[in-house]
C-alpha cells in the first residue's frame, strides 16, 4: 500500500510541475469556475461561506472515499478477509445520525446569520426605486428629486453584425446607476409590465422586479469601479438587451453627479415653460426615440416588434390620438405608457420627431404645454 501511495505521489508531483498543467490552470481561471469575491462586504461573506461549505464537503468526501478504498483494499477476499455477520448496530446508527446532524447545524448557523445580514435593509444612507420595463430600467433616487431611464447604448451596427463587437457588448447603458462608495444603498424593485430581475453579481444584489409588488435589497460597495449585470428573468423578445450598469464613485464625485442631475431636472422644468423651436424639438426627439423607441419601432420607423411609424395613421393623424399612445401606452401590447417615464419636454420632442421623421413630414410642432394640457384634459 505504501508503495502504491508513493508512486501516486510521484506521478502527481510530475503532473503539477508540467507546463501543460500550468496552462490548463490558466484556462480554468479564465472561465471563472469559482464564485467572484465581489466588491461589497456581503459578497465577501457569501464567498467565504461558499468556500467554507466547499471545504467541508471536500473533507467529508475525502474521508468517505479513503475509508471506502481502505476497506476494499485491506478487507478483500484475496487477503482472506471474512465478512462479519451481524444485524444492526445501535452505536453505529447513533454515530451516523448524530455526526451529520452536528455537521448540518454547524453549516446552518453561519448561513442563517448571513441571510439575516442580507435581508437587513434598515437605516440606509440612500434609497433608490428601480422599475423594470420592456426593456429598460428606471431609477428614482427618493428624496433627491432625481429620476432617469437607463437603456442599452450598444450601437445598432454591432447588434446587426455590421461592426465589430465592443468590449462590453450588450453590457453598456446611456445612464448608469451611480452610488457612493462605503454608503449603504437600499434598492426597491418593481416592474411596470412583466417580471424582470435586477442582477449585479459583484455587488451581491439579485432581486425580481414584479408588477404590483415592491422587493427590497441593499448593498454597500467598498471599491470604486464599474459593475455590470443583466436582467435575469426572461421578459420578452429583447430580454438580452436589458443590461444593468452601476458606477461606484467617491462621495465628492457622487455629490457632483447628483448636483448635475438635479440641475438637469431643473432645466427640464424650465424648458417645459418655454416654446422650443422645431429644430430643438426634432434633435431632442431623435435622441429620445433612439433611446426609448428604436428597439421596437426600428431605426427607420419601419417597425418590428412594434408597429411601423413611417406613414402610420397614428403618427400622421390627430395629435390627441398620438399623445394618447405615447403617454398611456396600448393595453395588451408591448407599447408602454411613457407618460410617467419621460418628462413633458421629452414627450413633446419625441412626438414632434415621429410626426416629421421617416417621411411623415406633417410639419407639426408639439410643445411641452400641449402635453401638459393633454394630461390635464
Amino acid at each position: 500500500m505504501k508503495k502504491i501511495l508513493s508512486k501516486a505521489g510521484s506521478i502527481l508531483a510530475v503532473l503539477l510541475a508540467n507546463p501543460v498543467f500550468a496552462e490548463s490552470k490558466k484556462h480554468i481561471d479564465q472561465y471563472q469556475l469559482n464564485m467572484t469575491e465581489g466588491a461589497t462586504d456581503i459578497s465577501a461573506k457569501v464567498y467565504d461561506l461558499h468556500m467554507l461549505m466547499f471545504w467541508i464537503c471536500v473533507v467529508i468526501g475525502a474521508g468517505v472515499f479513503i475509508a471506502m478504498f481502505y476497506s476494499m483494499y485491506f478487507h478483500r477476499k484475496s487477503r482472506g478477509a471474512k465478512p462479519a455477520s451481524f444485524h444492526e448496530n445501535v452505536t453505529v446508527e447513533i454515530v451516523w445520525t448524530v455526526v451529520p446532524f452536528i455537521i448540518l447545524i454547524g453549516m446552518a448557523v453561519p448561513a442563517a446569520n448571513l441571510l439575516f445580514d442580507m435581508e437587513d435593509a434598515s437605516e440606509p444612507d440612500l434609497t433608490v426605486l428601480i422599475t423594470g420595463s420592456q426593456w429598460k430600467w428606471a431609477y428614482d433616487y427618493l428624496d433627491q428629486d432625481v429620476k432617469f431611464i437607463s437603456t442599452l447604448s450598444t450601437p445598432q451596427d454591432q447588434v446587426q453584425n455590421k461592426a465589430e463587437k465592443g468590449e462590453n457588448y450588450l453590457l453598456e447603458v446611456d445612464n448608469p446607476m451611480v452610488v457612493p462608495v462605503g454608503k449603504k444603498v437600499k434598492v426597491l424593485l418593481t416592474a411596470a409590465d412583466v417580471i424582470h430581475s435586477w442582477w449585479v453579481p459583484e455587488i451581491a444584489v439579485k432581486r425580481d422586479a414584479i408588477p404590483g409588488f415592491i422587493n427590497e435589497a441593499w448593498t454597500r460597495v467598498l471599491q470604486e469601479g464599474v459593475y455590470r449585470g443583466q436582467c435575469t428573468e426572461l421578459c420578452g423578445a429583447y430580454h438580452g438587451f436589458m443590461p444593468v450598469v452601476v458606477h461606484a464613485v467617491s462621495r465628492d464625485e457622487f455629490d457632483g453627479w447628483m448636483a448635475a442631475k438635479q440641475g438637469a431636472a431643473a432645466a427640464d422644468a424650465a424648458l417645459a415653460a418655454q416654446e422650443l423651436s422645431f429644430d430643438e424639438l426634432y434633435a431632442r426627439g431623435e435622441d429620445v426615440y433612439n433611446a426609448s423607441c428604436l428597439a421596437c419601432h426600428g431605426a427607420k420607423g419601419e417597425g418590428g416588434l412594434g408597429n411601423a411609424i413611417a406613414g402610420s395613421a397614428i403618427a400622421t393623424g390627430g395629435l390627441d390620438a398620438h399623445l394618447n399612445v405615447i403617454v398611456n401606452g396600448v393595453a395588451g401590447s408591448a407599447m408602454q405608457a411613457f407618460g410617467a417615464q419621460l418628462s413633458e419636454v421629452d414627450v413633446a420632442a419625441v412626438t414632434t420627431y415621429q410626426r416629421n421623421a421617416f417621411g411623415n413630414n406633417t410639419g407639426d410642432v408639439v410643445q411641452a404645454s400641449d402635453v401638459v394640457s393633454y394630461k390635464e384634459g
Side-chain angles (χ1 to χ4, degrees):
M1 181 64 179
K2 290 182 179 179
K3 290 181 179 180
I4 294 174
L5 292 176
S6 177
K7 288 181 179 180
S10 299
I11 294 172
L12 181 61
V14 171
L15 288 174
L16 292 176
N18 194 305
V20 175
F21 176 82
E23 189 64 26
S24 299
K25 185 177 183 301
K26 288 182 182 179
H27 287 301
I28 291 173
D29 292 340
Q30 175 186 352
Y31 290 116
Q32 296 182 340
L33 298 181
N34 201 357
M35 292 179 62
T36 176
E37 293 188 51
T40 70
D41 46 1
I42 288 294
S43 63
K45 290 178 181 178
V46 170
Y47 179 84
D48 290 341
L49 180 65
H50 160 72
M51 294 309 299
L52 173 64
M53 302 303 174
F54 172 77
W55 286 116
I56 288 175
C57 293
V58 168
V59 170
I60 293 173
V64 169
F65 278 97
I66 288 172
M68 184 175 68
F69 288 125
Y70 177 87
S71 299
M72 288 190 296
Y73 184 82
F74 286 102
H75 299 282
R76 64 189 188 276
K77 184 178 180 180
S78 61
R79 290 177 61 95
K82 302 287 186 181
S85 178
F86 61 87
H87 180 68
E88 296 184 354
N89 187 310
V90 176
T91 302
V92 172
E93 291 184 356
I94 291 175
V95 169
W96 73 33
T97 300
V98 172
V99 171
F101 177 78
I102 294 174
I103 293 173
L104 288 174
I105 293 297
M107 297 170 73
V109 170
N113 288 334
L114 179 56
L115 285 174
F116 288 138
D117 289 342
M118 293 173 68
E119 296 298 324
D120 182 14
S122 62
E123 300 181 0
D125 298 303
L126 181 68
T127 302
V128 183
L129 173 63
I130 303 174
T131 304
S133 57
Q134 295 173 311
W135 287 271
K136 61 184 75 70
W137 298 100
Y139 296 92
D140 184 353
Y141 286 69
L142 303 182
D143 303 323
Q144 304 290 335
D145 293 328
V146 169
K147 301 178 182 179
F148 58 88
I149 304 293
S150 178
T151 58
L152 177 73
S153 63
T154 295
Q156 285 297 306
D157 283 348
Q158 292 184 21
V159 175
Q160 297 169 6
N161 294 318
K162 296 179 181 178
E164 185 178 351
K165 302 288 192 290
E167 179 183 359
N168 296 308
Y169 176 68
L170 297 185
L171 290 175
E172 49 201 342
V173 299
D174 53 359
N175 287 309
M177 177 183 179
V178 179
V179 299
V181 168
K183 298 296 183 180
K184 187 173 184 178
V185 180
K186 180 178 180 179
V187 293
L188 304 175
L189 285 138
T190 188
D193 36 45
V194 299
I195 298 176
H196 302 278
S197 188
W198 197 86
W199 174 62
V200 184
E202 289 183 292
I203 67 172
V205 177
K206 182 183 184 297
R207 283 290 188 278
D208 284 348
I210 305 171
F213 291 86
I214 298 288
N215 283 332
E216 67 176 24
W218 71 276
T219 187
R220 183 186 288 110
V221 185
L222 304 178
Q223 304 170 21
E224 292 187 29
V226 178
Y227 304 101
R228 303 180 189 275
Q230 295 169 299
C231 174
T232 53
E233 188 72 39
L234 186 58
C235 57
Y238 291 93
H239 160 69
F241 295 171
M242 196 172 173
V244 179
V245 180
V246 177
H247 285 194
V249 300
S250 66
R251 182 68 197 192
D252 289 342
E253 187 174 347
F254 176 78
D255 289 341
W257 174 84
M258 182 61 71
K261 282 292 185 182
Q262 290 172 336
D268 278 350
L271 279 177
Q274 300 177 19
E275 293 285 319
L276 301 181
S277 69
F278 173 83
D279 290 340
E280 289 173 320
L281 287 165
Y282 189 92
R284 183 169 183 138
E286 184 176 12
D287 291 338
V288 176
Y289 181 88
N290 290 337
S292 300
C293 312
L294 183 147
C296 292
H297 296 289
K300 298 180 181 179
E302 71 276 16
L305 185 66
N307 295 330
I309 292 178
S312 73
I314 292 295
T316 59
L319 177 59
D320 282 356
H322 196 175
L323 286 174
N324 179 56
V325 171
I326 294 176
V327 172
N328 300 316
V330 178
S333 75
M335 181 61 196
Q336 305 166 33
F338 283 93
Q341 298 185 35
L342 302 176
S343 68
E344 281 78 10
V345 175
D346 284 341
V347 172
V350 77
T351 306
T352 299
Y353 177 75
Q354 290 182 5
R355 296 180 74 81
N356 292 280
F358 316 126
N360 291 334
N361 302 326
T362 64
D364 292 340
V365 178
V366 184
Q367 299 291 345
S369 57
D370 297 323
V371 179
V372 173
S373 297
Y374 172 78
K375 288 183 176 180
E376 291 177 348

mmCIF file of all heavy atoms in Angstrom, residues 342-358:
data_model
loop_
_atom_site.group_PDB
_atom_site.id
_atom_site.type_symbol
_atom_site.label_atom_id
_atom_site.label_comp_id
_atom_site.label_asym_id
_atom_site.label_seq_id
_atom_site.Cartn_x
_atom_site.Cartn_y
_atom_site.Cartn_z
ATOM 1 N N LEU A 342 -41.086 59.663 -19.124
ATOM 2 C CA LEU A 342 -40.441 60.787 -19.792
ATOM 3 C C LEU A 342 -41.021 62.105 -19.298
ATOM 4 O O LEU A 342 -42.189 62.190 -18.908
ATOM 5 C CB LEU A 342 -40.646 60.680 -21.311
ATOM 6 C CG LEU A 342 -40.129 59.413 -21.994
ATOM 7 C CD1 LEU A 342 -40.497 59.438 -23.474
ATOM 8 C CD2 LEU A 342 -38.623 59.269 -21.821
ATOM 9 N N SER A 343 -40.201 63.142 -19.344
ATOM 10 C CA SER A 343 -40.684 64.483 -18.996
ATOM 11 C C SER A 343 -41.600 64.999 -20.094
ATOM 12 O O SER A 343 -41.624 64.470 -21.215
ATOM 13 C CB SER A 343 -39.495 65.426 -18.815
ATOM 14 O OG SER A 343 -38.844 65.646 -20.063
ATOM 15 N N GLU A 344 -42.349 66.054 -19.759
ATOM 16 C CA GLU A 344 -43.241 66.636 -20.769
ATOM 17 C C GLU A 344 -42.454 67.134 -21.980
ATOM 18 O O GLU A 344 -42.908 67.030 -23.129
ATOM 19 C CB GLU A 344 -44.046 67.793 -20.155
ATOM 20 C CG GLU A 344 -45.229 67.375 -19.312
ATOM 21 C CD GLU A 344 -44.831 66.910 -17.918
ATOM 22 O OE1 GLU A 344 -43.646 67.105 -17.565
ATOM 23 O OE2 GLU A 344 -45.674 66.352 -17.194
ATOM 24 N N VAL A 345 -41.243 67.665 -21.729
ATOM 25 C CA VAL A 345 -40.414 68.144 -22.837
ATOM 26 C C VAL A 345 -40.023 66.980 -23.745
ATOM 27 O O VAL A 345 -40.079 67.090 -24.981
ATOM 28 C CB VAL A 345 -39.154 68.854 -22.298
ATOM 29 C CG1 VAL A 345 -38.237 69.248 -23.455
ATOM 30 C CG2 VAL A 345 -39.532 70.087 -21.499
ATOM 31 N N ASP A 346 -39.632 65.845 -23.140
ATOM 32 C CA ASP A 346 -39.227 64.689 -23.943
ATOM 33 C C ASP A 346 -40.407 64.097 -24.705
ATOM 34 O O ASP A 346 -40.247 63.651 -25.853
ATOM 35 C CB ASP A 346 -38.596 63.626 -23.044
ATOM 36 C CG ASP A 346 -37.180 63.985 -22.627
ATOM 37 O OD1 ASP A 346 -36.570 64.844 -23.291
ATOM 38 O OD2 ASP A 346 -36.686 63.422 -21.633
ATOM 39 N N VAL A 347 -41.582 64.061 -24.082
ATOM 40 C CA VAL A 347 -42.769 63.565 -24.794
ATOM 41 C C VAL A 347 -43.073 64.468 -25.985
ATOM 42 O O VAL A 347 -43.354 63.997 -27.099
ATOM 43 C CB VAL A 347 -43.985 63.476 -23.847
ATOM 44 C CG1 VAL A 347 -45.252 63.154 -24.642
ATOM 45 C CG2 VAL A 347 -43.760 62.420 -22.775
ATOM 46 N N ALA A 348 -43.010 65.788 -25.752
ATOM 47 C CA ALA A 348 -43.263 66.733 -26.852
ATOM 48 C C ALA A 348 -42.226 66.561 -27.948
ATOM 49 O O ALA A 348 -42.553 66.570 -29.147
ATOM 50 C CB ALA A 348 -43.244 68.166 -26.317
ATOM 51 N N ALA A 349 -40.980 66.375 -27.570
ATOM 52 C CA ALA A 349 -39.908 66.267 -28.556
ATOM 53 C C ALA A 349 -40.041 64.996 -29.395
ATOM 54 O O ALA A 349 -39.921 65.036 -30.621
ATOM 55 C CB ALA A 349 -38.549 66.294 -27.841
ATOM 56 N N VAL A 350 -40.282 63.857 -28.736
ATOM 57 C CA VAL A 350 -40.354 62.600 -29.493
ATOM 58 C C VAL A 350 -41.621 62.560 -30.346
ATOM 59 O O VAL A 350 -41.624 61.966 -31.433
ATOM 60 C CB VAL A 350 -40.273 61.383 -28.540
ATOM 61 C CG1 VAL A 350 -41.600 61.138 -27.804
ATOM 62 C CG2 VAL A 350 -39.861 60.131 -29.300
ATOM 63 N N THR A 351 -42.682 63.223 -29.899
ATOM 64 C CA THR A 351 -43.898 63.303 -30.722
ATOM 65 C C THR A 351 -43.632 64.145 -31.969
ATOM 66 O O THR A 351 -44.020 63.772 -33.085
ATOM 67 C CB THR A 351 -45.057 63.902 -29.916
ATOM 68 O OG1 THR A 351 -45.244 63.167 -28.701
ATOM 69 C CG2 THR A 351 -46.349 63.856 -30.718
ATOM 70 N N THR A 352 -42.958 65.267 -31.756
ATOM 71 C CA THR A 352 -42.578 66.105 -32.899
ATOM 72 C C THR A 352 -41.704 65.330 -33.874
ATOM 73 O O THR A 352 -41.889 65.393 -35.098
ATOM 74 C CB THR A 352 -41.836 67.361 -32.404
ATOM 75 O OG1 THR A 352 -42.693 68.122 -31.549
ATOM 76 C CG2 THR A 352 -41.404 68.228 -33.578
ATOM 77 N N TYR A 353 -40.751 64.602 -33.351
ATOM 78 C CA TYR A 353 -39.841 63.827 -34.203
ATOM 79 C C TYR A 353 -40.601 62.767 -34.994
ATOM 80 O O TYR A 353 -40.417 62.645 -36.220
ATOM 81 C CB TYR A 353 -38.771 63.178 -33.323
ATOM 82 C CG TYR A 353 -37.810 62.294 -34.097
ATOM 83 C CD1 TYR A 353 -36.819 62.848 -34.887
ATOM 84 C CD2 TYR A 353 -37.922 60.909 -34.032
ATOM 85 C CE1 TYR A 353 -35.938 62.042 -35.612
ATOM 86 C CE2 TYR A 353 -37.053 60.091 -34.746
ATOM 87 C CZ TYR A 353 -36.059 60.664 -35.539
ATOM 88 O OH TYR A 353 -35.202 59.859 -36.252
ATOM 89 N N GLN A 354 -41.451 62.006 -34.330
ATOM 90 C CA GLN A 354 -42.178 60.939 -35.018
ATOM 91 C C GLN A 354 -43.109 61.490 -36.097
ATOM 92 O O GLN A 354 -43.318 60.853 -37.137
ATOM 93 C CB GLN A 354 -42.976 60.115 -34.010
ATOM 94 C CG GLN A 354 -42.121 59.259 -33.085
ATOM 95 C CD GLN A 354 -42.951 58.411 -32.138
ATOM 96 O OE1 GLN A 354 -44.183 58.387 -32.227
ATOM 97 N NE2 GLN A 354 -42.279 57.724 -31.228
ATOM 98 N N ARG A 355 -43.661 62.666 -35.886
ATOM 99 C CA ARG A 355 -44.616 63.229 -36.845
ATOM 100 C C ARG A 355 -43.920 63.899 -38.047
ATOM 101 O O ARG A 355 -44.591 64.294 -39.005
ATOM 102 C CB ARG A 355 -45.533 64.229 -36.152
ATOM 103 C CG ARG A 355 -46.397 63.589 -35.084
ATOM 104 C CD ARG A 355 -47.325 64.585 -34.393
ATOM 105 N NE ARG A 355 -48.444 64.975 -35.228
ATOM 106 C CZ ARG A 355 -49.543 64.262 -35.395
ATOM 107 N NH1 ARG A 355 -49.675 63.083 -34.779
ATOM 108 N NH2 ARG A 355 -50.521 64.699 -36.168
ATOM 109 N N ASN A 356 -42.583 64.001 -37.951
ATOM 110 C CA ASN A 356 -41.862 64.664 -39.033
ATOM 111 C C ASN A 356 -40.716 63.841 -39.607
ATOM 112 O O ASN A 356 -40.170 64.181 -40.660
ATOM 113 C CB ASN A 356 -41.317 66.009 -38.553
ATOM 114 C CG ASN A 356 -42.427 67.018 -38.285
ATOM 115 O OD1 ASN A 356 -42.952 67.640 -39.199
ATOM 116 N ND2 ASN A 356 -42.796 67.147 -37.007
ATOM 117 N N ALA A 357 -40.338 62.743 -38.924
ATOM 118 C CA ALA A 357 -39.270 61.874 -39.414
ATOM 119 C C ALA A 357 -39.861 60.754 -40.267
ATOM 120 O O ALA A 357 -41.086 60.597 -40.367
ATOM 121 C CB ALA A 357 -38.500 61.287 -38.243
ATOM 122 N N PHE A 358 -38.977 59.981 -40.899
ATOM 123 C CA PHE A 358 -39.363 58.784 -41.653
ATOM 124 C C PHE A 358 -40.315 59.091 -42.806
ATOM 125 O O PHE A 358 -41.150 58.268 -43.189
ATOM 126 C CB PHE A 358 -40.007 57.743 -40.721
ATOM 127 C CG PHE A 358 -39.289 57.565 -39.418
ATOM 128 C CD1 PHE A 358 -39.967 57.701 -38.211
ATOM 129 C CD2 PHE A 358 -37.931 57.272 -39.389
ATOM 130 C CE1 PHE A 358 -39.307 57.546 -37.009
ATOM 131 C CE2 PHE A 358 -37.262 57.114 -38.181
ATOM 132 C CZ PHE A 358 -37.948 57.256 -36.979
#
